[in-house]
Amino acid sequence: MRNDFYLAWRYLGFHKTRTLIIVTCLSLIAILPVALHFLLNEGNRQMTTRAAATPLLIGARGSALDLTLNALFFGAVSPSITLVEADKVTATGWADALPIYSRLRVLGQPLVGVTLDYFDYRGLRVAQGQMLAMLGECVLGAAAAEALKLKPGDSLPTPPESLFDLAGNYPLKLRVAGVLARTHTPDDQAIFIDLQTAWVIDGIGHGHAEQKNLPERSAGPFGFAEINRAADGKLPTYTEITADNIDSFHFHGDPGGFPISAVIALPHDRKSATLLRGRYVDQGEKIQIVQPQENLRGLLDNIFRVGALFDGLLAVVGGVTSLALGLVFALSLRLRQGEIRTNTLLGCGRLMVARLLAAELVLLLLVSGGLCLVLLEAIRRYAGDIVRYALIS
């Protein structure tokens, strides 16, 4: 028996290309359905876990699913509401309000404006550096820090609103205050700033340099920019917030009218949640309140139905591929008639020839099975990252 496998192994090694093709086909047929279910189950786990931890969401009326995905995963950009909606929730005394403002992306990472309560609510803690303490600072999720190759003390410019809008808002130079510990959630991908910094980026808040203290011209792109505003006249405006100029920063208008993306409402109990939902039952309101878990359940049901359809298609493709491989194996036997005849002349009986062919088939299955195990372990290990990347991007 050992000699059978040795001869079969040498034969497969001599025909490397054909062996590699057969092993690849067998591995893909076996691994695709399993890998699909790995990713679906991981996506289901991540989405339901985050949705279950978010009782209610308040945002602009429209697609409830878009609102949910934008607020939980910082994905799509939804229409904005104003901060007064968060104040209304707090004023009811039924729930705590956590405003979120997610509108921009910096080098592919979502830029999210939050209050400090958000970090306590999500259980986010600083692994390096410190938490937000000053206007113009940001803290990075663990994955965002790795992707951007930044550490505490580094700088990160925000993107300009438009390259061709010379009168628009200038980029703001953010200072990296800290890096958050990894949580294996979409928070790892985000760049967090406080709401005031987000409004400075929007141009709602700004700081002015005093004319008498100005140098002749800024040495770099983040010194100050001259912006003509009706309220401020033609005053140079800082585009980098430092300890020296932070006192000059101010906001125009009522803070209640400043934009946010959504409000996470945290009811104190079930009765409070019911009463709060009742405030938004009027279809004429421009604001809606949604339950993320219910919205995502419908989305996940559709995804799993599509997954079941893929399973059926993969089963058909796998069956056809298996038949094709069987045909290739049968044709290869015809091509190997001369080789088999030579073995017979050397004294091998029909049983011996059959044992050699069976050994080849067993070796092919064993190698394919080993490759499947390696790939499945890699998919299992990185399934969370794959799903988070797919959800956020």
Side-chain angles (χ1 to χ4, degrees):
M1 183 65 72
R2 179 183 300 177
N3 294 333
D4 298 344
F5 281 99
Y6 175 76
L7 291 175
W9 179 259
R10 298 291 296 179
Y11 177 82
L12 294 176
F14 183 78
H15 299 281
K16 294 184 179 64
T17 303
R18 195 185 70 177
T19 302
L20 181 62
I21 292 174
I22 294 176
V23 167
T24 303
C25 291
L26 290 175
S27 302
L28 288 178
I29 292 171
I31 200 173
L32 279 179
V34 183
L36 178 64
H37 280 278
F38 258 126
L39 296 176
L40 286 177
N41 290 334
E42 178 63 22
N44 181 34
R45 186 191 66 79
Q46 289 193 19
M47 296 180 79
T48 53
T49 300
R50 196 165 175 87
T54 310
L56 296 171
L57 280 174
I58 297 169
R61 187 168 293 280
S63 170
L65 186 58
D66 283 349
L67 171 61
T68 302
L69 293 177
N70 181 45
L72 299 187
F73 305 103
F74 317 127
V77 176
S78 62
S80 63
I81 57 176
T82 57
L83 187 63
V84 72
E85 299 302 331
D87 296 336
K88 289 179 180 177
V89 172
T90 304
T92 62
W94 298 329
D96 296 324
L98 298 178
I100 297 176
Y101 191 26
S102 175
R103 188 178 66 85
L104 295 176
R105 284 180 173 268
V106 179
L107 301 176
Q109 308 298 323
L111 185 66
V112 185
V114 295
T115 59
L116 292 179
D117 291 336
Y118 180 86
F119 299 99
D120 295 332
Y121 165 64
R122 293 292 189 198
L124 304 176
R125 62 178 182 83
V126 175
Q128 302 175 42
Q130 62 182 22
M131 186 51 77
L132 298 173
M134 196 179 85
L135 199 66
E137 289 185 338
C138 67
V139 292
L140 308 178
E146 289 179 2
L148 300 176
K149 296 181 173 55
L150 294 176
K151 61 183 183 305
D154 290 343
S155 298
L156 177 66
T158 62
E161 291 287 326
S162 172
L163 293 174
F164 305 102
D165 184 9
L166 298 180
N169 299 326
Y170 282 76
L172 181 67
K173 186 178 183 180
L174 299 173
R175 192 184 78 83
V176 179
V179 177
L180 300 173
R182 189 177 296 276
T183 58
H184 302 287
T185 66
D187 294 323
D188 289 343
Q189 308 282 345
I191 301 168
F192 291 103
I193 56 178
D194 62 13
L195 285 176
Q196 287 76 17
T197 301
W199 294 329
V200 169
I201 294 172
D202 275 357
I204 300 173
H206 49 265
H208 298 303
E210 296 182 11
Q211 295 282 3
K212 60 181 180 181
N213 295 331
L214 285 177
E216 292 184 357
R217 192 64 262 176
S218 173
F222 292 104
F224 56 83
E226 191 174 79
I227 300 177
N228 190 10
R229 296 178 187 281
D232 306 306
K234 198 171 184 180
L235 295 177
T237 301
Y238 289 112
T239 53
E240 179 181 7
I241 302 173
T242 64
D244 295 330
N245 64 23
I246 189 171
D247 292 336
S248 70
F249 275 80
H250 56 278
F251 297 87
H252 292 280
D254 178 12
F258 294 171
I260 57 175
S261 301
V263 178
I264 297 176
L266 306 175
H268 301 315
D269 49 41
R270 181 175 296 181
K271 178 181 178 182
S272 300
T274 304
L275 292 172
L276 187 62
R277 292 178 62 192
R279 285 287 184 95
Y280 298 90
V281 294
D282 183 5
Q283 297 298 319
E285 287 282 347
K286 296 181 180 178
I287 310 298
Q288 65 175 338
I289 187 168
V290 300
Q291 292 180 290
Q293 198 167 10
E294 286 190 0
N295 289 331
L296 287 184
R297 187 179 296 119
L299 174 65
L300 291 172
D301 288 344
N302 290 329
I303 290 175
F304 276 95
R305 275 196 289 270
V306 173
L309 177 63
F310 269 107
D311 282 346
L313 292 176
L314 287 174
V316 174
V317 173
V320 172
T321 307
S322 300
L323 290 175
L325 287 174
L327 179 61
V328 170
F329 201 73
L331 292 176
S332 70
L333 289 180
R334 294 181 65 88
L335 294 174
R336 294 171 62 183
Q337 285 300 316
E339 175 190 333
I340 294 173
R341 189 178 303 110
T342 300
N343 288 337
T344 303
L345 293 175
L346 290 174
C348 295
R350 290 186 175 181
L351 179 59
M352 180 65 183
V353 173
R355 286 168 52 186
L356 288 174
L357 296 176
E360 289 179 17
L361 185 59
V362 170
L363 286 176
L364 286 172
L365 294 175
L366 286 176
V367 173
S368 300
L371 181 60
C372 285
L373 290 178
V374 172
L375 292 175
L376 282 178
E377 176 60 22
I379 292 172
R380 188 192 64 80
R381 180 169 299 183
Y382 296 106
D385 294 333
I386 295 172
V387 170
R388 278 189 294 278
Y389 179 80
L391 286 175
I392 292 176
S393 62

